[in-house]
Amino acid sequence: MPGVRPASPDQTALLCALLERGLLIDSGVPGVYGRGADFEAVRESVAELVTRAVAPERPERMCFPPVMPRRHLETIDYLKSFPHLAASIFAFTGSEAQATEQHERASRHEDWSEFQGMTDLVLTPAACYPVYPAIAARGELPPGGVTVDAGGAYVFRREPSSDPARMQMFHQRELVRIGEPGVVEGWREEWRDRAVELLSALGLEVRFDVASDPFFGRSGRMLAVSQREQQLKFEVVTQIAGPEPTAVASFNYHQNHFAAAHRIELASGGEAHTACLGFGLERITIALLRTHGFDIDTWPAEVRERLSI
Amino acid sequence: MTKEIRRIITEYGRLSVDITALPVDADLYQAGMTSHASIDVMLALEDHFDVEFPDGMLTRSAFESITAIEAALLKLRAEAAVR
């Protein structure tokens, strides 16, 4: 079992404050929380704000559950890049005697994993992942490609922490663009500025940064360097708590990674490129609570109006 | 050494062109090698030449051509000989 990632004193204090005020609800497991009414009201409003912002592009709406076929995760080499963050679903298959033994061990909180077998499901680590095979299954892309509003699904990353901004399960509000390389790159550039405007308008002090993913191991360090050199990942960051600013939105240009894995082809016959934009809804909500105060009734009128709360 | 590097790239580089026709200074990324494939090349080079690339050498440019890879390997060998 991985250790809990240490949190800074101000991160721990922020978590305590959110729990005390009922904005988050403790589950006993670091990084897994219930959400109180005010927290959800803000989180849903931010999601709705993104829906309105992307509406002029007439995206196709697709919603997926927080689990996805294991085969899809295997196809995109996720276990090579992020084995430390992945989580697969196991379930019981056995006899009645084994079920009894499993129950007895479980009631003593002992190890009952030997009765569990791997299923065909994994927890979804990024809200855009189910989109690519769904688009690929339709055959070649229509001219101009597609823009998908992938909703705000729960995603899972196995990184327990007492930093409230680093949850194991959180909502990623994702938009996806699939098409010709130049079109996809242009879309990402355009959204970079729009996302900064969108979040600044809520009173957050944000800035844009070139970033890299937390790839695993030595080979991961090389992937991260390569990702930075090619500027494939941008983030919008803001100060929440802790020594470093926190990313609240990220823009990822995958080049042909997902298109090649799932065989997404352009109408003209070439290989498509993909990019996604993800807003971390819980992080934005926490940043807003940190900036404007824990009582949302006292937030500045223009922020409340913009969020319709 | 060039021959061995070519063989490793053929096996792990997943190039979209025929490597035998590729000059030693040709850009391997332009020839279709992805970032993920370059990792496989790097690990295979380490295995074959019994070296370990330090973090500072794990860059995109260190693996961009046969010449660059050869230079990186020679540098590692020279450093190992000094120790």
Side-chain angles (χ1 to χ4, degrees):
Chain A
M1 206 164 103
V4 177
R5 192 180 163 126
S8 68
D10 61 337
Q11 287 169 338
T12 309
L14 177 59
L15 175 62
C16 289
L18 291 166
L19 292 172
E20 264 169 32
R21 286 169 171 81
L23 289 157
L24 292 180
I25 303 158
D26 200 11
S27 75
V29 174
V32 178
Y33 309 103
R35 281 88 168 137
D38 283 357
F39 191 97
E40 272 304 270
V42 175
R43 189 189 67 73
E44 285 174 350
S45 304
V46 175
E48 183 53 34
L49 196 68
V50 177
T51 307
R52 289 200 297 272
V54 72
E57 293 180 38
R58 298 185 174 279
E60 178 176 346
R61 185 89 194 254
M62 287 186 175
C63 289
F64 295 95
V67 294
M68 60 182 259
R70 170 161 57 91
R71 179 170 283 273
H72 290 159
L73 203 73
E74 292 163 353
T75 303
I76 56 171
D77 289 338
Y78 188 84
L79 294 167
K80 190 175 179 186
S81 304
F82 308 106
H84 54 311
L85 301 180
S88 33
I89 297 183
F90 282 60
F92 174 76
T93 46
S95 65
E96 225 169 307
Q98 287 170 321
T100 306
E101 176 67 18
Q102 175 178 256
H103 166 67
E104 280 171 10
R105 283 199 214 169
S107 25
R108 294 191 299 267
H109 303 299
E110 290 170 3
D111 184 0
W112 43 279
S113 57
E114 72 172 87
F115 303 106
Q116 296 282 306
M118 199 173 215
T119 68
D120 51 1
L121 291 172
V122 292
L123 295 181
T124 306
C128 64
Y129 284 3
V131 171
Y132 309 111
I135 294 292
R138 293 178 181 172
E140 67 183 33
L141 289 173
V146 292
T147 304
V148 174
D149 178 348
Y154 261 121
V155 297
F156 182 88
R157 309 268 172 93
R158 181 66 179 151
E159 44 181 355
S161 167
S162 314
D163 172 6
R166 188 169 297 280
M167 294 186 184
Q168 294 198 63
M169 202 153 202
F170 55 96
H171 290 88
Q172 231 178 21
R173 183 75 185 80
E174 283 234 57
L175 308 174
V176 182
R177 187 77 174 95
I178 306 175
E180 304 257 356
V183 171
V184 169
E185 226 175 328
W187 178 85
R188 185 183 71 143
E189 293 287 327
E190 196 182 299
W191 264 99
R192 190 182 80 183
D193 296 334
R194 287 174 73 184
V196 168
E197 278 168 32
L198 196 89
L199 295 169
S200 301
L202 297 177
L204 296 180
E205 270 184 40
V206 295
R207 69 180 166 81
F208 148 82
D209 213 353
V210 176
S212 62
D213 282 309
F215 295 110
F216 183 73
R218 284 184 67 236
S219 51
R221 280 199 283 283
M222 183 162 152
L223 277 179
V225 167
S226 173
Q227 193 181 31
R228 266 181 193 278
E229 278 181 23
Q230 297 178 86
Q231 304 210 342
L232 299 180
K233 187 182 186 77
F234 302 147
E235 285 177 345
V236 176
V237 300
T238 190
Q239 188 58 40
I240 295 180
E244 304 285 337
T246 302
V248 289
S250 83
F251 310 73
N252 305 283
Y253 180 28
H254 319 118
Q255 296 173 312
N256 70 343
H257 182 68
F258 292 117
H262 293 297
R263 299 202 181 125
I264 305 177
E265 284 181 1
L266 296 168
S268 58
E271 204 168 54
H273 276 202
T274 65
C276 72
L277 158 56
F279 291 92
L281 294 182
E282 278 80 0
R283 284 185 173 182
I284 295 171
T285 303
I286 293 171
L288 287 167
L289 290 162
R290 181 89 169 150
T291 304
H292 302 305
F294 293 128
D295 181 358
I296 61 174
D297 293 333
T298 63
W299 282 14
E302 65 271 20
V303 174
R304 292 173 54 83
E305 198 177 311
R306 212 170 276 272
L307 288 171
S308 315
I309 51 171
Chain B
M1 185 185 260
T2 312
K3 206 174 147 193
E4 291 161 288
I5 295 172
R6 268 188 201 275
R7 185 187 60 72
I8 287 170
I9 296 169
T10 309
E11 200 171 332
Y12 297 96
R14 306 199 285 271
L15 300 191
S16 49
V17 298
D18 178 13
I19 188 161
T20 50
L22 220 55
V24 287
D25 58 349
D27 188 325
L28 297 172
Y29 298 106
Q30 291 288 331
M33 184 170 72
T34 63
S35 303
H36 286 269
S38 73
I39 304 277
D40 294 339
V41 168
M42 183 268 285
L43 294 172
L45 289 167
E46 286 191 340
D47 256 6
H48 183 79
F49 292 100
D50 194 25
V51 290
E52 189 174 312
F53 291 101
D55 278 7
M57 282 172 90
L58 294 179
T59 61
R60 198 172 160 78
S61 56
F63 300 89
E64 74 186 354
S65 66
I66 294 169
T67 311
I69 292 172
E70 194 162 348
L73 287 169
L74 290 173
K75 188 172 171 231
L76 275 183
R77 281 193 173 170
E79 282 171 4
V82 171
R83 267 185 226 127

